[in-house]
Amino acid sequence: MLVAKGLAMLEVSAAMMGRKETVYPALIWDEDQMILVDTAYPGQLPLLRAEMERAGMPFEKLTKLIITHQDLDHIGNLPTILHESAQKLEVLAHAVEKPFIQGEKRLLKITPEAIAQAVNSLPPEVPEEWRAAFKRTLENPPKADVDRTVGDAEELPYCGGITVISTPGHTPGHISLYHRPSKTLIAADAMIVADGQLLGPEPQYCVDANQAVQSLKKLTHYDIEAVICYHGGLYRGDANRRIAELANG
């Protein structure tokens, strides 16, 4: 979906653990750069590529990847994208998230208990070989090198200007992005959209739920006309008012 000039929200859906899961990576571009923000679940690159084509921006034009944080649904296709690209792609992420993305540290939410719970939650009709492959993916998550680290309030000189906003809580180094030309916030998992409403971070998925809510206060300093949430998609209401409500509890 085209959100604004040079900015599209990609919709990637597939059956996951017996139910339909949809995530919304963002694609930002101008004449010189094409940047993918987050990469969906492992194995979903064909769906990502199809969404890029639908936006009129083929995979071959990709120049950079920004990873908002370490979770599996955000890093899932990172190494595959780097392998399949005909040109060198620069990977950007927060310094705190870098060792997790590179596989130097275990992903915080992929504990042995979480793996067992995820595998056991699969419907009984799931074939044993698929169940085993799913377990292997969780035990050996995707990893790739981060070429450049970014920090809070850093201005990236791409596509008219992209501001990095450190929004920890969901993970320790979680970032959101503000696309200045379109006044669009790419919130990643700092917020969600459900039933058309903009909601705060989901506590059960945060490493520090209180910090995640406090991080929303940083977002109130930006003039926001649209919000892209990785879970739930696009919100175009009175974003500034709603974010202030969420930030103040």
Side-chain angles (χ1 to χ4, degrees):
M1 173 193 291
L2 186 66
V3 176
K5 182 180 179 182
L7 174 63
M9 180 180 74
L10 310 182
E11 182 175 338
V12 181
S13 300
M16 301 289 296
M17 294 189 289
R19 62 183 184 273
K20 183 180 179 181
E21 290 280 351
T22 302
V23 295
Y24 297 90
L27 195 65
I28 311 170
W29 67 89
D30 62 9
E31 293 182 358
D32 302 314
Q33 303 285 346
M34 187 169 89
I35 304 168
L36 177 65
V37 183
D38 294 325
T39 71
Y41 285 98
Q44 293 188 322
L45 181 54
L47 300 177
L48 265 177
R49 294 183 74 138
E51 280 290 288
M52 291 180 189
E53 292 284 353
R54 192 170 292 115
M57 300 301 295
F59 177 83
E60 290 72 24
K61 291 189 176 181
L62 195 61
T63 58
K64 288 179 171 56
L65 295 149
I66 299 178
I67 304 299
T68 61
H69 63 289
Q70 63 185 271
D71 286 349
L72 190 63
D73 54 336
H74 295 256
I75 66 170
N77 293 287
L78 177 56
T80 308
I81 290 171
L82 296 177
H83 177 74
E84 294 203 7
S85 175
Q87 61 179 322
K88 165 67 177 171
L89 304 180
E90 186 179 33
V91 179
L92 292 77
H94 193 280
V96 172
E97 299 291 294
K98 179 177 178 178
F100 297 97
I101 296 168
Q102 295 189 157
E104 297 160 7
K105 292 184 178 181
R106 177 179 56 79
L107 301 183
L108 291 174
K109 299 173 189 175
I110 307 296
T111 62
E113 295 77 15
I115 292 173
Q117 182 179 6
V119 173
N120 291 336
S121 71
L122 294 173
E125 64 269 19
V126 172
E128 189 58 40
E129 60 269 23
W130 199 97
R131 190 180 301 268
F134 177 60
K135 185 172 184 288
R136 285 195 300 272
T137 297
L138 295 178
E139 292 174 337
N140 301 281
K143 60 183 179 180
D145 289 342
V146 172
D147 300 300
R148 176 181 168 187
T149 58
V150 295
D152 189 32
E154 183 172 346
E155 298 286 342
L156 303 179
Y158 314 127
C159 307
I162 301 169
T163 305
V164 178
I165 310 168
S166 179
T167 46
H170 182 78
T171 64
H174 184 283
I175 59 172
S176 301
L177 303 168
Y178 181 67
H179 182 238
R180 289 192 171 277
S182 66
K183 298 182 179 180
T184 298
L185 175 71
I186 301 171
D189 288 351
M191 295 181 288
I192 66 167
V193 173
D195 298 323
Q197 298 300 310
L198 186 63
L199 304 176
E202 297 184 280
Q204 67 269 35
Y205 300 123
C206 295
V207 296
D208 188 328
N210 289 331
Q211 185 183 43
V213 173
Q214 290 300 310
S215 289
L216 298 182
K217 293 180 179 179
K218 291 184 178 181
L219 306 178
T220 63
H221 302 301
Y222 295 86
D223 181 12
I224 299 170
E225 294 185 356
V227 182
I228 299 174
C229 293
Y230 203 66
H231 299 279
L234 185 65
Y235 178 80
R236 283 195 185 274
D238 188 348
N240 287 98
R241 178 190 60 78
R242 181 57 180 153
I243 293 171
E245 290 176 351
L246 295 171
N248 293 318

